[in-house]
Structures are given as structure tokens and as C-alpha cells.
Amino acid sequence: MQVVSISSLKGGVGKTSVTTGLASAALAAGIPTLVVDLDPHADASTALGVQPDGQLDIGRMLKSPRRARLGDNVVPSGWLKRTSVNGSPAPVLDVAVGSAYTGIYDRPDLGRRDLRRLSHVLATADNYELVLVDCPPSLNGLTRMAWSASDKVTLVAEPGLFSVAGTERTMRAIQLFRQEFAPGLSPAGIVANRVRSGSSEHAFRLAEMQSMFGKLLLTPHIPEQANWQQIQGAAHAVHHWPGDSAKNSSALYDSLLQNLLSAGNDPQGRGKR
């Protein structure tokens, strides 16, 4: 099992869109996946079409992490209703539902014990090959809790001045966090999102990111897609959406998922898990 945090320091860069795009690619690839919606806004839960029926949200599981029964409280994604099985094993895409309750942990002063809460919740997540954690757009307690539970961190950035600067600060924060709390954590790379092909500014910033981050800048880059809000609003996987634009995006996320899962691997096999 690989646990990957999807993070950004700056809001509005499409972090949740990248999380759901990767989840869609994992579903299409038949990879048993859990999405943990750690953002108090719970946008990933909405986009994944979940409807809890008495299950605990992730915030309440974090309240008593050693007693939380993850398997009893995850919710199957609504996307599964649109997935054809055709005699194959049923696909797995579950969601640990987000809620505003998680906000009580989004503080800068969480101690080491609190930072392990998500790790304890995920300790029984044996049914999954991939866990994607959608983090809040900050470096407070919830993001650090996610990093503590993760094998890898993927950053999402737009090719703009403030987003690139924020990504550089986040990379430094990851290095400091590794030294103090999580020596097995590795940066899986940076996803350039909402890229406009005709923008000279975006072309300049992509070149700048390549110079700054080298191989950590993952490919392919994700272009701006006009109907993405419509896809998320309808609670659809991009792989299930009709049209050439969605088909092209699906192929990009297939490649990005493959590159992400192979990035940041410890060549000496000293991973956390």
C-alpha cells in the first residue's frame, strides 16, 4: 500500500481536482483505492459522489483513532454505479468522508502524538493498494498529520508567480518535516495544473519550475479544462465523461498516476511501510 498526500500551500490551484483525477485513473486501472478527504471543505467527498449512511466522517475517526474502525466507516464512491464489471472483480474506490469537524486539528501546534492520529486510523487499511489524502491548502496540523501517515507527498501548483513561490516554500517544509518527524517520507513530485498552452506567462513559469525543481516536476502537465467544474458538479469520474476533452484528460491522468507511483521511491528500499 502506498499512501500519497496531495498538498499545496496556496489555495485555488486545483488540488482537489488533481486528487479526483488520480482517483479516476486508479479506478480505471483497477487499483483498489481509498480517498481520505482531510480538507474541512470536503470538496473531494462531493466530487466523488458519496452519501454517508451512518458512517463516521474522517474527523470523528481522528478523534478516537485507535478505536476507529476504518472498514466500517468508509463509503463507496458514487462513481462505482457507472463502472461496468463484466464478470471481473468489482472495482474498489472508497472514501473516508470529509467534514468541517476536521478543522479542530488544523492548528500549527499539534504535538507528535496528534500527528500520528491519521497513521493509527490507516493502520487497518489493508484492502487498498493506494491511499490518496486530499489535504487542506495550508501547512497546519492536518497537512502535517497527513504527511506523517504518508509515504509520498505530491504538490500541486499553477504556473504562476505566487504558486511557484509557495511550492518552493512547501518543498523546504517537507525537508524539515522529514528530518524531525518522518524520515521515510519522500517528495513524489510536483503537478503543474491548469496550464494554458497559449499563455507566454505559463510557458515562462513552467521553464522556471523545470529549472528550480528538475525531475521533481512531473509529466504530463494538466491543461486547463473548461468543463472540469461540470464534471465535478455532476459527481462523475473524468474517465466516465463523454467527449474528446475528457478522453484526453483521462489519458493524461493515466500517465500522471503511473509516473507519480514510480516517483520518489527509495533506491535502497528504506520506505516507511
Side-chain angles (χ1 to χ4, degrees):
M1 183 178 73
Q2 290 197 51
V3 182
V4 182
S5 286
I6 314 297
S7 301
S8 69
L9 181 64
K10 182 180 181 298
V13 299
K15 170 185 55 62
T16 297
S17 298
V18 169
T19 303
T20 55
L22 292 170
S24 180
L27 177 62
I31 300 172
T33 300
L34 171 68
V35 176
V36 179
D37 189 357
L38 213 58
D39 190 332
H41 291 103
D43 291 337
S45 298
T46 301
L48 286 155
V50 293
Q51 296 183 350
D53 185 19
Q55 293 93 342
L56 297 178
D57 60 64
I58 186 61
R60 286 169 173 79
M61 282 191 270
L62 291 173
K63 183 179 180 181
S64 302
R66 293 187 182 276
R67 295 196 298 271
R69 296 185 177 184
L70 181 68
D72 293 338
N73 289 296
V74 296
V75 181
S77 169
W79 296 355
L80 297 176
K81 299 175 184 177
R82 306 180 182 95
T83 303
S84 176
V85 177
N86 295 327
S88 301
V92 175
L93 178 59
D94 291 337
V95 184
V97 181
S99 76
Y101 191 88
T102 57
I104 64 175
Y105 298 107
D106 207 23
R107 312 188 311 269
D109 59 343
L110 289 190
R112 189 178 296 269
R113 180 178 177 181
D114 282 329
L115 291 179
R116 298 293 297 170
R117 286 179 181 270
L118 183 59
S119 298
H120 294 315
V121 171
L122 295 179
T124 58
D126 300 328
N127 297 329
Y128 309 103
E129 294 180 20
L130 176 65
V131 178
L132 298 171
V133 185
D134 189 33
C135 300
S138 71
L139 292 180
N140 285 329
L142 286 173
T143 294
R144 294 165 67 234
M145 189 186 294
W147 291 359
S148 184
S150 295
D151 303 294
K152 301 178 181 180
V153 179
T154 298
L155 304 182
V156 179
E158 284 186 316
L161 173 63
F162 300 129
S163 182
V164 173
T167 301
E168 186 177 28
R169 292 196 300 273
T170 309
M171 289 296 296
R172 291 198 298 267
I174 291 172
Q175 291 300 112
L176 293 172
F177 190 82
R178 289 180 66 185
Q179 294 171 17
E180 186 172 359
F181 296 105
L185 183 68
S186 64
I190 301 159
V191 177
N193 191 40
R194 294 179 177 170
V195 177
R196 295 194 295 273
S197 59
S199 169
S200 58
E201 170 67 10
H202 279 203
F204 174 82
R205 294 300 173 190
L206 283 173
E208 181 181 44
M209 293 170 73
Q210 185 66 58
S211 175
M212 293 170 64
F213 304 118
K215 293 182 179 180
L216 283 175
L217 182 60
L218 295 173
T219 56
H221 308 320
I222 304 299
E224 190 171 55
Q225 184 172 327
N227 63 348
W228 195 266
Q229 293 289 336
Q230 184 182 8
I231 294 172
Q232 289 191 315
H236 269 253
V238 64
H239 286 70
H240 299 157
W241 196 259
D244 290 339
S245 177
K247 184 177 180 180
N248 291 337
S249 290
S250 298
L252 292 175
Y253 274 110
D254 289 339
S255 297
L256 185 61
L257 177 65
Q258 183 177 3
N259 292 340
L260 184 155
L261 293 179
S262 63
N265 290 326
D266 187 337
Q268 300 184 34
R270 292 194 303 263
K272 286 168 56 181
R273 297 177 185 277

